[in-house]
Amino acid sequence: MPELNRRHFLVTGLAAAVTVAQPFALPAARADPGPAPGPASRGPRTDPFTLGVACGDPDADGFVLWTRLAPIPLAEDGFGGMPPRPFDVRWQVYADERCRRLVRTGVAVAAPEWGHSVHVELTGLDAGRDYWYRFRLGPYVSPVGRARTAPRRDSFGGPLAMAFVSCSQYEHGYFSAYRGVADEHPDLVLHLGDYQYEYAGSTYTAPGGNVRDHEGPETVTLAGYRQRHAQYKTDPDLRAAHEAAPWLVVWDDHEVDNNWAGLVPERPDRPQPDFPARREAAFRAYYENMPLRRAAIPRGVDMQLYRRVRWGEMATFHMLDTRQYRDDQGCGDGYRDCPESADPARSITGAPQEAWLLDGFRRSRARWDILGQQVFFAQRDNDEGPAKVTSQDAWDGYVASRRRITQGWIDAGVRNPVVLTGDVHAHWAADLKLDYDDPTGPTVGSELVTTSITSGGDGADSEPAAHPFLRINPHLRFYNNQRGYVITRVDRERLTADFKVVPTVREPGVAAYTRATFVVEDRVPGVQQAYLRPLDPTARAGGRTTVEDTVRWETERP
C-alpha cells in the first residue's frame, strides 16, 4: 500500500464544511404509484444522472438502490451542480431487463444535506431472482441497473457467481478490470476498499507515469471528498460494474487517509489537529456515494460499516472494518520485526466487532463463511533468518487479534472459513494456520487476495513460485503482480476462484484473462491450484522478484 514521505494538508474551512455531518434524519423513500414528480422537481437543465446507479446489500426480499444527482459532477463545491434544495426522484423496479413489467415504484427525496444522494431500501420482493431498476427526474431517465435478491434463508439457491475487487487509483490507469467484472455478469460484487484515493493530482505516481489526473487538492473537506467520489464515478467502466450487479462495500484507508488507524492519521509526527473532522467528512461522503442501508448513516466521526449478509444457506458474508477501531500500528506502517505486534491487548477490529464476529461464527449454519475484509490475513515473513519481519499495517501487526479470530472459527466448527482480501496490489492465495511457526501444523482456512484494479500501474507477470515469500512462507501458494480482479463460483461442493489479469492499464478497453484458478473443496481447508496459465512471452515480464521488490511496491511513498 502506498504511503507518503511528506503530507500537505489543506484544512482551511474544514470545520465549517462538515457541520452538516451532525446526526440528521435522512428523507425516507415513499412507495407511490402516481404520476412522475411535477415541475418543482425539474431543476437541472442537463442530465443529473452522470454518476450512474448502483444496488447494494441484497437480502432475500430486497436490496438498496442508489443514485446521486450531479449534472456538473466535478463542481468544486461538492454539490455536483445541483441547486441547494431537495428534489423528488422517482424510482422504478422492473421484472424484466427491457423495463416493461413494473413491479414497484415510488419517490425518494434527494436532499442537499446528503449531496443529493438517494438511498431506497426495498423489501417484499421475491427471493433469488433478478430485477432491474432506474430513476427519473423531470425529463431525465437514469441508466438501467441489474439487482438481485438473495435466496431464501432455508434454500441454497443456485451456484453463486461472486467477484471481488479493490484498489482503484484513478490516475494510475484505466478501469478495464471493472469492465471485465461487468462482463462476467456476477450475482454479487464485493469491494474491499480503496475505492478512491485522497491524493492531489500527480502526488502518487505510478511507474511509467500517470495516465490521467485527479481534480482538486488532497481530499480533506466534505466538498473535496464529494468531488473525488464523483470523479471516479464519471468513469464508464466503474459505472458499468455498478450497473451489472449488487455490491457489498467496505472501506480501507484511502477513502480517508493513507494507513489511518482509529483517530490517528498516517503521520502522527506531523499531526493533523482536524483529523476527526476530516474523518467525519470522509465517512459522510462515503455513505452518500455508496449503496448502503440506513444502518450505515454516519453519526459524526462514527459509522457502522461492519455487517453480515446471508446468501441463503450457501454463504454468510461477514463484512469487516479493520480501520475505524484498530489500535495504531505498533512500530510504524512498514515491514518491521516488532515485539508490539504480539501484544494480546492490541486489536485490529476492536473488542465489540471481534465479539460480533465470533458470535456470528457460532450462529452460522452456512456452507461457506466468507470474511470480506481489507488487509493480508496470513503471515508474510520476509526474513529467511530467525527474525520475523512482517507488515505492521496488516494482521501480522495484530497477531493475537488474528489468533483469537482463527481460534474462534475453529471452536465454532465453521465448515468452510474463507478470507477475502485486497490492499496489497497483487494476487495471492494462501492456506491459513493457527500457528504459522509450525509449517507442518494443520491448515484451518483459506485466503484469496485480489490485486488492484489499477493501483501501482501495470505491474508485471512472473513465475509465481519464483517469489521468495512463497519459499519463506510455505503456506503462501500463489502470487501475481498484474492488475485485475477475482471471479468466483460458489456451490455446495467447492469454491472456484479465477484470478483475472489485464495486460496493461495504460490503455482503455483491455480484455482480462485468467492467470490462475484455485479451488477450495467443501470441508477441505486450504487452496488447491487447478489451473496456471503459462507466461505470455509477449507480455511484460518482471523477471525474478525479490523481497525488496514486494516491500517497495507495498510501502513506497510518493
Side-chain angles (χ1 to χ4, degrees):
M1 179 190 313
E3 307 173 63
L4 287 174
N5 283 327
R6 58 187 179 86
R7 309 286 283 186
H8 296 291
F9 295 117
L10 305 175
V11 297
T12 302
L14 180 58
V18 298
T19 54
V20 295
Q22 300 305 312
F24 176 83
L26 193 67
R30 305 192 301 272
D32 176 9
S41 297
R42 300 185 187 134
R45 296 179 180 272
T46 58
D47 181 11
F49 297 112
T50 60
L51 307 184
V53 299
C55 171
D57 281 24
D59 60 24
D61 73 341
F63 34 72
V64 179
L65 302 182
W66 172 92
T67 193
R68 181 180 160 216
L69 308 179
I72 307 174
L74 301 186
E76 292 183 1
D77 64 4
F79 284 105
M82 289 295 294
R85 60 183 178 85
F87 289 84
D88 288 343
V89 179
R90 178 163 297 284
W91 51 269
Q92 298 169 316
V93 177
Y94 294 86
D96 66 306
E97 188 173 6
R98 301 181 71 178
C99 298
R100 292 180 173 177
R101 289 184 288 149
L102 182 67
V103 296
R104 196 73 62 82
T105 186
V107 173
V109 177
E113 295 91 342
W114 294 92
H116 291 101
S117 61
V118 175
H119 296 76
V120 180
E121 290 190 38
L122 285 170
T123 59
L125 299 174
D126 293 337
R129 61 152 296 166
D130 290 344
Y131 289 92
W132 289 263
Y133 63 95
R134 65 186 180 187
F135 298 88
R136 291 179 177 270
L137 179 61
Y140 302 105
V141 181
S142 77
V144 175
R146 169 180 167 260
R148 184 170 181 82
T149 51
R152 295 193 321 268
R153 293 201 168 194
D154 61 353
S155 168
F156 279 93
L160 167 63
M162 180 267 295
F164 63 100
V165 298
S166 77
C167 303
S168 49
Q169 217 283 18
Y170 181 88
E171 299 176 293
H172 285 188
Y174 295 99
F175 289 167
S176 299
Y178 277 139
R179 179 69 63 170
V181 169
D183 291 344
E184 302 278 0
H185 305 290
D187 300 313
L188 190 64
V189 178
L190 273 62
H191 200 293
L192 303 179
D194 293 347
Y195 183 96
Q196 58 90 29
Y197 281 67
E198 76 276 27
Y199 304 119
S202 301
T203 301
Y204 176 22
T205 305
N210 293 345
V211 302
R212 47 189 183 176
D213 293 321
H214 280 154
E215 291 284 335
E218 179 160 334
T219 53
V220 295
T221 67
L222 180 57
Y225 283 111
R226 283 173 169 171
Q227 182 193 47
R228 187 61 53 81
H229 275 282
Q231 181 175 20
Y232 275 58
K233 281 192 170 71
T234 61
D235 185 281
D237 295 329
L238 174 54
R239 294 200 308 273
H242 274 298
E243 292 167 13
W247 284 37
L248 301 179
V249 299
V250 287
W251 56 42
D252 192 15
D253 54 337
H254 290 290
E255 288 86 353
V256 180
D257 176 36
N258 184 56
N259 285 358
W260 66 283
L263 287 172
V264 181
E266 177 197 8
R267 293 295 300 271
D269 58 315
R270 297 179 183 178
Q272 298 181 53
D274 291 322
F275 184 72
R278 181 183 188 181
R279 179 175 131 163
E280 183 176 352
F283 284 14
R284 188 178 187 88
Y286 187 82
Y287 174 79
E288 291 172 348
N289 286 277
M290 293 295 167
L292 289 164
R293 293 185 179 272
R294 294 173 65 86
I297 293 173
R299 301 292 191 268
V301 298
D302 299 315
M303 181 171 168
Q304 176 69 46
L305 193 59
Y306 67 84
R307 62 203 186 279
R308 193 169 288 119
V309 175
R310 291 186 58 178
W311 197 266
E313 293 187 339
M314 186 72 77
T316 295
F317 291 92
H318 310 268
M319 304 300 292
L320 304 187
D321 178 352
T322 62
R323 286 289 164 192
Q324 187 174 179
Y325 313 106
R326 68 158 70 190
D327 292 297
D328 192 20
Q329 294 88 346
C331 299
D333 301 342
Y335 278 76
R336 306 279 192 276
D337 184 2
C338 179
E340 291 182 43
S341 66
D343 183 350
R346 300 181 71 253
S347 174
I348 195 172
T349 62
Q353 184 178 192
E354 180 178 308
W356 166 87
L357 180 58
L358 297 180
D359 181 65
F361 290 155
R362 290 188 290 269
R363 293 174 180 269
S364 178
R365 299 296 179 266
R367 181 63 52 95
W368 302 89
D369 278 87
I370 299 174
L371 281 65
Q373 59 93 49
Q374 297 76 17
V375 293
F376 219 104
F377 194 85
Q379 178 175 289
R380 289 187 307 158
D381 186 358
N382 77 6
D383 188 275
E384 297 194 66
K388 187 173 290 185
V389 181
T390 57
S391 171
Q392 297 308 295
D393 189 56
W395 288 82
D396 274 333
Y398 306 82
V399 173
S401 189
R402 176 175 62 197
R403 186 178 182 91
R404 289 192 299 269
I405 287 170
T406 306
Q407 188 67 59
W409 78 56
I410 295 171
D411 292 346
V414 169
R415 180 164 174 159
N416 293 300
V418 178
V419 177
L420 306 183
T421 301
D423 180 62
V424 291
H425 307 174
H427 282 318
W428 297 81
D431 296 338
L432 297 180
K433 306 281 186 176
L434 184 62
D435 182 3
Y436 292 95
D437 292 332
D438 179 10
T440 65
T443 295
V444 297
S446 312
E447 182 172 18
L448 304 169
V449 182
T450 183
T451 188
S452 61
I453 294 290
T454 56
S455 301
D458 276 345
D461 203 357
S462 63
E463 289 291 350
H467 195 295
F469 276 26
L470 273 67
R471 181 179 65 256
I472 300 170
N473 305 272
H475 55 276
L476 301 179
R477 304 290 300 281
F478 175 67
Y479 165 82
N480 172 269
N481 188 36
Q482 294 171 283
R483 310 286 76 84
Y485 59 94
V486 179
I487 180 73
T488 68
R489 177 186 169 92
V490 186
D491 59 33
R492 300 187 195 198
E493 289 77 33
R494 62 190 58 84
L495 183 156
T496 303
D498 291 335
F499 288 84
K500 297 280 191 166
V501 299
V502 292
T504 181
V505 295
R506 300 192 64 80
E507 302 170 7
V510 177
Y513 64 88
T514 301
R515 182 65 178 86
T517 299
F518 278 78
V519 172
V520 181
E521 299 284 354
D522 179 34
R523 296 189 184 277
V524 183
V527 295
Q528 303 175 44
Q529 182 177 292
Y531 168 78
L532 181 65
R533 176 175 171 143
L535 276 174
D536 183 351
T538 67
R540 177 172 172 247
R544 183 176 181 273
T545 302
T546 67
V547 166
E548 291 75 17
D549 289 332
T550 294
V551 172
R552 184 178 71 254
W553 293 332
E554 292 184 19
T555 62
E556 64 184 359
R557 300 168 182 257

PDB file of all heavy atoms in Angstrom, residues 460-480:
ATOM      1  N   ALA A 460       3.804  -6.476 -13.477  1.00  0.00           N
ATOM      2  CA  ALA A 460       4.472  -7.358 -14.426  1.00  0.00           C
ATOM      3  C   ALA A 460       4.140  -8.797 -14.091  1.00  0.00           C
ATOM      4  O   ALA A 460       3.870  -9.141 -12.941  1.00  0.00           O
ATOM      5  CB  ALA A 460       5.987  -7.145 -14.388  1.00  0.00           C
ATOM      6  N   ASP A 461       4.168  -9.630 -15.120  1.00  0.00           N
ATOM      7  CA  ASP A 461       3.946 -11.056 -14.917  1.00  0.00           C
ATOM      8  C   ASP A 461       5.258 -11.718 -14.495  1.00  0.00           C
ATOM      9  O   ASP A 461       6.350 -11.195 -14.728  1.00  0.00           O
ATOM     10  CB  ASP A 461       3.424 -11.686 -16.202  1.00  0.00           C
ATOM     11  CG  ASP A 461       2.652 -12.975 -15.969  1.00  0.00           C
ATOM     12  OD1 ASP A 461       2.573 -13.402 -14.795  1.00  0.00           O
ATOM     13  OD2 ASP A 461       2.129 -13.546 -16.932  1.00  0.00           O
ATOM     14  N   SER A 462       5.133 -12.881 -13.848  1.00  0.00           N
ATOM     15  CA  SER A 462       6.312 -13.630 -13.413  1.00  0.00           C
ATOM     16  C   SER A 462       5.876 -15.036 -13.068  1.00  0.00           C
ATOM     17  O   SER A 462       4.680 -15.329 -12.978  1.00  0.00           O
ATOM     18  CB  SER A 462       6.964 -12.961 -12.191  1.00  0.00           C
ATOM     19  OG  SER A 462       6.058 -12.962 -11.095  1.00  0.00           O
ATOM     20  N   GLU A 463       6.836 -15.904 -12.866  1.00  0.00           N
ATOM     21  CA  GLU A 463       6.531 -17.244 -12.384  1.00  0.00           C
ATOM     22  C   GLU A 463       6.155 -17.149 -10.908  1.00  0.00           C
ATOM     23  O   GLU A 463       6.964 -16.689 -10.090  1.00  0.00           O
ATOM     24  CB  GLU A 463       7.726 -18.175 -12.559  1.00  0.00           C
ATOM     25  CG  GLU A 463       8.025 -18.546 -13.989  1.00  0.00           C
ATOM     26  CD  GLU A 463       6.959 -19.453 -14.596  1.00  0.00           C
ATOM     27  OE1 GLU A 463       6.072 -19.948 -13.852  1.00  0.00           O
ATOM     28  OE2 GLU A 463       6.996 -19.670 -15.826  1.00  0.00           O
ATOM     29  N   PRO A 464       4.957 -17.552 -10.531  1.00  0.00           N
ATOM     30  CA  PRO A 464       4.538 -17.374  -9.129  1.00  0.00           C
ATOM     31  C   PRO A 464       5.495 -17.996  -8.120  1.00  0.00           C
ATOM     32  O   PRO A 464       5.780 -17.394  -7.076  1.00  0.00           O
ATOM     33  CB  PRO A 464       3.167 -18.051  -9.101  1.00  0.00           C
ATOM     34  CG  PRO A 464       2.675 -17.986 -10.503  1.00  0.00           C
ATOM     35  CD  PRO A 464       3.896 -18.124 -11.372  1.00  0.00           C
ATOM     36  N   ALA A 465       5.991 -19.172  -8.422  1.00  0.00           N
ATOM     37  CA  ALA A 465       6.838 -19.873  -7.458  1.00  0.00           C
ATOM     38  C   ALA A 465       8.190 -19.197  -7.257  1.00  0.00           C
ATOM     39  O   ALA A 465       8.914 -19.518  -6.304  1.00  0.00           O
ATOM     40  CB  ALA A 465       7.047 -21.318  -7.903  1.00  0.00           C
ATOM     41  N   ALA A 466       8.532 -18.254  -8.127  1.00  0.00           N
ATOM     42  CA  ALA A 466       9.824 -17.590  -8.009  1.00  0.00           C
ATOM     43  C   ALA A 466       9.834 -16.522  -6.927  1.00  0.00           C
ATOM     44  O   ALA A 466      10.906 -16.031  -6.556  1.00  0.00           O
ATOM     45  CB  ALA A 466      10.226 -16.979  -9.350  1.00  0.00           C
ATOM     46  N   HIS A 467       8.663 -16.159  -6.430  1.00  0.00           N
ATOM     47  CA  HIS A 467       8.647 -15.119  -5.398  1.00  0.00           C
ATOM     48  C   HIS A 467       9.202 -15.672  -4.093  1.00  0.00           C
ATOM     49  O   HIS A 467       8.757 -16.711  -3.611  1.00  0.00           O
ATOM     50  CB  HIS A 467       7.215 -14.615  -5.171  1.00  0.00           C
ATOM     51  CG  HIS A 467       7.146 -13.327  -4.414  1.00  0.00           C
ATOM     52  ND1 HIS A 467       7.563 -13.194  -3.105  1.00  0.00           N
ATOM     53  CD2 HIS A 467       6.734 -12.092  -4.793  1.00  0.00           C
ATOM     54  CE1 HIS A 467       7.404 -11.943  -2.702  1.00  0.00           C
ATOM     55  NE2 HIS A 467       6.889 -11.253  -3.704  1.00  0.00           N
ATOM     56  N   PRO A 468      10.181 -14.988  -3.474  1.00  0.00           N
ATOM     57  CA  PRO A 468      10.816 -15.533  -2.263  1.00  0.00           C
ATOM     58  C   PRO A 468       9.860 -15.679  -1.088  1.00  0.00           C
ATOM     59  O   PRO A 468      10.098 -16.512  -0.205  1.00  0.00           O
ATOM     60  CB  PRO A 468      11.924 -14.518  -1.958  1.00  0.00           C
ATOM     61  CG  PRO A 468      11.532 -13.280  -2.692  1.00  0.00           C
ATOM     62  CD  PRO A 468      10.806 -13.722  -3.908  1.00  0.00           C
ATOM     63  N   PHE A 469       8.776 -14.896  -1.039  1.00  0.00           N
ATOM     64  CA  PHE A 469       7.830 -15.055   0.052  1.00  0.00           C
ATOM     65  C   PHE A 469       7.248 -16.463   0.082  1.00  0.00           C
ATOM     66  O   PHE A 469       6.934 -16.985   1.154  1.00  0.00           O
ATOM     67  CB  PHE A 469       6.683 -14.041  -0.083  1.00  0.00           C
ATOM     68  CG  PHE A 469       6.971 -12.687   0.485  1.00  0.00           C
ATOM     69  CD1 PHE A 469       8.263 -12.204   0.588  1.00  0.00           C
ATOM     70  CD2 PHE A 469       5.937 -11.865   0.912  1.00  0.00           C
ATOM     71  CE1 PHE A 469       8.525 -10.942   1.095  1.00  0.00           C
ATOM     72  CE2 PHE A 469       6.181 -10.600   1.441  1.00  0.00           C
ATOM     73  CZ  PHE A 469       7.483 -10.146   1.534  1.00  0.00           C
ATOM     74  N   LEU A 470       7.079 -17.085  -1.082  1.00  0.00           N
ATOM     75  CA  LEU A 470       6.495 -18.426  -1.119  1.00  0.00           C
ATOM     76  C   LEU A 470       7.469 -19.461  -0.562  1.00  0.00           C
ATOM     77  O   LEU A 470       7.042 -20.492  -0.031  1.00  0.00           O
ATOM     78  CB  LEU A 470       6.086 -18.801  -2.548  1.00  0.00           C
ATOM     79  CG  LEU A 470       4.680 -18.353  -2.972  1.00  0.00           C
ATOM     80  CD1 LEU A 470       4.593 -16.841  -3.071  1.00  0.00           C
ATOM     81  CD2 LEU A 470       4.276 -18.984  -4.301  1.00  0.00           C
ATOM     82  N   ARG A 471       8.748 -19.184  -0.648  1.00  0.00           N
ATOM     83  CA  ARG A 471       9.739 -20.092  -0.069  1.00  0.00           C
ATOM     84  C   ARG A 471       9.847 -19.880   1.447  1.00  0.00           C
ATOM     85  O   ARG A 471       9.929 -20.844   2.214  1.00  0.00           O
ATOM     86  CB  ARG A 471      11.098 -19.853  -0.730  1.00  0.00           C
ATOM     87  CG  ARG A 471      12.206 -20.776  -0.217  1.00  0.00           C
ATOM     88  CD  ARG A 471      13.529 -20.509  -0.922  1.00  0.00           C
ATOM     89  NE  ARG A 471      14.070 -19.186  -0.633  1.00  0.00           N
ATOM     90  CZ  ARG A 471      14.045 -18.142  -1.464  1.00  0.00           C
ATOM     91  NH1 ARG A 471      13.475 -18.265  -2.655  1.00  0.00           N
ATOM     92  NH2 ARG A 471      14.580 -16.988  -1.111  1.00  0.00           N
ATOM     93  N   ILE A 472       9.819 -18.630   1.867  1.00  0.00           N
ATOM     94  CA  ILE A 472       9.929 -18.330   3.297  1.00  0.00           C
ATOM     95  C   ILE A 472       8.663 -18.735   4.044  1.00  0.00           C
ATOM     96  O   ILE A 472       8.711 -19.172   5.202  1.00  0.00           O
ATOM     97  CB  ILE A 472      10.206 -16.818   3.489  1.00  0.00           C
ATOM     98  CG1 ILE A 472      11.515 -16.423   2.799  1.00  0.00           C
ATOM     99  CG2 ILE A 472      10.264 -16.465   4.972  1.00  0.00           C
ATOM    100  CD1 ILE A 472      11.735 -14.915   2.728  1.00  0.00           C
ATOM    101  N   ASN A 473       7.510 -18.600   3.377  1.00  0.00           N
ATOM    102  CA  ASN A 473       6.204 -18.879   3.980  1.00  0.00           C
ATOM    103  C   ASN A 473       5.508 -19.961   3.161  1.00  0.00           C
ATOM    104  O   ASN A 473       4.775 -19.660   2.214  1.00  0.00           O
ATOM    105  CB  ASN A 473       5.344 -17.604   3.982  1.00  0.00           C
ATOM    106  CG  ASN A 473       6.024 -16.425   4.656  1.00  0.00           C
ATOM    107  OD1 ASN A 473       5.934 -16.236   5.850  1.00  0.00           O
ATOM    108  ND2 ASN A 473       6.706 -15.596   3.852  1.00  0.00           N
ATOM    109  N   PRO A 474       5.718 -21.233   3.482  1.00  0.00           N
ATOM    110  CA  PRO A 474       5.188 -22.304   2.630  1.00  0.00           C
ATOM    111  C   PRO A 474       3.672 -22.349   2.558  1.00  0.00           C
ATOM    112  O   PRO A 474       3.121 -23.016   1.672  1.00  0.00           O
ATOM    113  CB  PRO A 474       5.748 -23.576   3.276  1.00  0.00           C
ATOM    114  CG  PRO A 474       6.156 -23.193   4.657  1.00  0.00           C
ATOM    115  CD  PRO A 474       6.533 -21.752   4.596  1.00  0.00           C
ATOM    116  N   HIS A 475       2.968 -21.644   3.431  1.00  0.00           N
ATOM    117  CA  HIS A 475       1.511 -21.616   3.355  1.00  0.00           C
ATOM    118  C   HIS A 475       1.023 -20.666   2.258  1.00  0.00           C
ATOM    119  O   HIS A 475      -0.167 -20.674   1.919  1.00  0.00           O
ATOM    120  CB  HIS A 475       0.908 -21.206   4.699  1.00  0.00           C
ATOM    121  CG  HIS A 475       1.437 -19.909   5.210  1.00  0.00           C
ATOM    122  ND1 HIS A 475       2.617 -19.808   5.907  1.00  0.00           N
ATOM    123  CD2 HIS A 475       0.952 -18.652   5.116  1.00  0.00           C
ATOM    124  CE1 HIS A 475       2.839 -18.545   6.222  1.00  0.00           C
ATOM    125  NE2 HIS A 475       1.839 -17.818   5.748  1.00  0.00           N
ATOM    126  N   LEU A 476       1.915 -19.816   1.721  1.00  0.00           N
ATOM    127  CA  LEU A 476       1.562 -18.969   0.584  1.00  0.00           C
ATOM    128  C   LEU A 476       1.683 -19.790  -0.687  1.00  0.00           C
ATOM    129  O   LEU A 476       2.722 -20.401  -0.954  1.00  0.00           O
ATOM    130  CB  LEU A 476       2.470 -17.741   0.521  1.00  0.00           C
ATOM    131  CG  LEU A 476       2.457 -16.818   1.744  1.00  0.00           C
ATOM    132  CD1 LEU A 476       3.416 -15.650   1.544  1.00  0.00           C
ATOM    133  CD2 LEU A 476       1.051 -16.298   2.035  1.00  0.00           C
ATOM    134  N   ARG A 477       0.649 -19.781  -1.511  1.00  0.00           N
ATOM    135  CA  ARG A 477       0.579 -20.728  -2.622  1.00  0.00           C
ATOM    136  C   ARG A 477       0.591 -20.097  -4.008  1.00  0.00           C
ATOM    137  O   ARG A 477       0.776 -20.790  -4.995  1.00  0.00           O
ATOM    138  CB  ARG A 477      -0.692 -21.562  -2.468  1.00  0.00           C
ATOM    139  CG  ARG A 477      -0.819 -22.298  -1.118  1.00  0.00           C
ATOM    140  CD  ARG A 477       0.184 -23.434  -1.006  1.00  0.00           C
ATOM    141  NE  ARG A 477      -0.039 -24.396  -2.073  1.00  0.00           N
ATOM    142  CZ  ARG A 477      -1.008 -25.317  -2.063  1.00  0.00           C
ATOM    143  NH1 ARG A 477      -1.857 -25.400  -1.037  1.00  0.00           N
ATOM    144  NH2 ARG A 477      -1.134 -26.162  -3.064  1.00  0.00           N
ATOM    145  N   PHE A 478       0.360 -18.782  -4.096  1.00  0.00           N
ATOM    146  CA  PHE A 478       0.290 -18.152  -5.423  1.00  0.00           C
ATOM    147  C   PHE A 478       0.569 -16.668  -5.279  1.00  0.00           C
ATOM    148  O   PHE A 478       0.242 -16.048  -4.270  1.00  0.00           O
ATOM    149  CB  PHE A 478      -1.099 -18.351  -6.034  1.00  0.00           C
ATOM    150  CG  PHE A 478      -1.306 -17.628  -7.353  1.00  0.00           C
ATOM    151  CD1 PHE A 478      -0.601 -18.008  -8.480  1.00  0.00           C
ATOM    152  CD2 PHE A 478      -2.199 -16.559  -7.450  1.00  0.00           C
ATOM    153  CE1 PHE A 478      -0.778 -17.337  -9.688  1.00  0.00           C
ATOM    154  CE2 PHE A 478      -2.380 -15.889  -8.649  1.00  0.00           C
ATOM    155  CZ  PHE A 478      -1.670 -16.284  -9.775  1.00  0.00           C
ATOM    156  N   TYR A 479       1.184 -16.110  -6.357  1.00  0.00           N
ATOM    157  CA  TYR A 479       1.474 -14.690  -6.414  1.00  0.00           C
ATOM    158  C   TYR A 479       1.460 -14.233  -7.865  1.00  0.00           C
ATOM    159  O   TYR A 479       1.950 -14.935  -8.763  1.00  0.00           O
ATOM    160  CB  TYR A 479       2.850 -14.409  -5.798  1.00  0.00           C
ATOM    161  CG  TYR A 479       3.395 -13.039  -6.131  1.00  0.00           C
ATOM    162  CD1 TYR A 479       2.986 -11.925  -5.413  1.00  0.00           C
ATOM    163  CD2 TYR A 479       4.302 -12.862  -7.176  1.00  0.00           C
ATOM    164  CE1 TYR A 479       3.485 -10.660  -5.718  1.00  0.00           C
ATOM    165  CE2 TYR A 479       4.799 -11.610  -7.490  1.00  0.00           C
ATOM    166  CZ  TYR A 479       4.387 -10.513  -6.764  1.00  0.00           C
ATOM    167  OH  TYR A 479       4.868  -9.273  -7.071  1.00  0.00           O
ATOM    168  N   ASN A 480       0.897 -13.044  -8.093  1.00  0.00           N
ATOM    169  CA  ASN A 480       0.963 -12.417  -9.415  1.00  0.00           C
ATOM    170  C   ASN A 480       0.859 -10.908  -9.224  1.00  0.00           C
ATOM    171  O   ASN A 480       0.014 -10.431  -8.472  1.00  0.00           O
ATOM    172  CB  ASN A 480      -0.161 -12.911 -10.322  1.00  0.00           C
ATOM    173  CG  ASN A 480      -0.225 -12.142 -11.634  1.00  0.00           C
ATOM    174  OD1 ASN A 480      -0.929 -11.141 -11.727  1.00  0.00           O
ATOM    175  ND2 ASN A 480       0.518 -12.598 -12.629  1.00  0.00           N
TER     176      ASN A 480
END
